Amino acid sequence: MKDCNCIFCKIANGEIPSATLYEDDSFRVILDLNPASRGHALVLPKEHYANLFEIPEDVLGKAMAVARKVGTRLFEGLHADGLNIVQNNGESAGQTVFHFHIHLIPRYADDSVKLGWKPGTLTDEDKAQILDLFG
Ligand code: 5GP
Ligand code: ZN
């Protein structure tokens, strides 16, 4: 299903032109308009799923395969030193476009990309409570 108000639906399905690196029946991979680094790209499914919790498992698996295929070409072709795969779900996690997408962010030794967090400490209480969820 497409969402006619969703910009990534329009881009993925070719209604809005984009710098396309890869396309097949189910996905389009485009260059990000505001890249974190040289070669920053986005894997977009052509169907609309808001996030990780909505995308069916088989589509997710194919999306990761596309991410690896295009990520490898970016990594090798741009002589990157590393590659981050980032996938945001929800505003608090930094999601700004609510159509599932995977970021491919090539990394270079001297880049200024910041994806870090301040490491905390796993408390015994949290550990017990969270392990309980998976009982
Ligand atoms: P999010 O923050 O939702 O994980 O990522 C959204 C990404 O989409 C951002 O990196 C942003 O730069 C990119 N973006 C937003 N609108 C457009 C657009 O119209 N075209 C392209 N190519 N990228 C976009
Ligand atoms: Zn959409």
Side-chain angles (χ1 to χ4, degrees), residues 36-37 107-115:
S37 69
R107 299 300 303 270
Y108 306 93
D110 58 350
D111 72 31
S112 57
V113 179
K114 296 271 177 293
L115 297 170

Side-chain angles (χ1 to χ4, degrees), residues 12 42 69 74 80 125 128:
L42 303 169
K69 192 196 303 247
L74 285 167
E125 193 187 3

Side-chain angles (χ1 to χ4, degrees), residues 7-8 11 30-34 40 42 88 94-97 101 103:
I7 182 135
F8 279 4
I11 292 174
I30 62 169
L31 287 177
D32 196 295
L33 264 190
N34 298 112
H40 182 173
L42 303 169
N88 299 325
Q95 188 175 12
T96 58
V97 180
H101 52 281
H103 293 261

Side-chain angles (χ1 to χ4, degrees), residues 6-24 26-46 63 66-67 70-71 74 78 83 86 97 99-106:
C6 170
I7 182 135
F8 279 4
C9 277
K10 292 182 177 142
I11 292 174
N13 290 283
E15 285 168 47
I16 295 178
S18 61
T20 295
L21 305 180
Y22 171 90
E23 184 182 6
D24 63 23
S26 308
F27 299 96
R28 183 186 295 270
V29 183
I30 62 169
L31 287 177
D32 196 295
L33 264 190
N34 298 112
S37 69
R38 185 160 187 259
H40 182 173
L42 303 169
V43 179
L44 311 179
K46 292 187 175 179
V66 170
V70 178
L74 285 167
L78 296 175
L83 178 85
V86 175
V97 180
H99 174 123
F100 176 93
H101 52 281
I102 299 172
H103 293 261
L104 304 174
I105 306 177

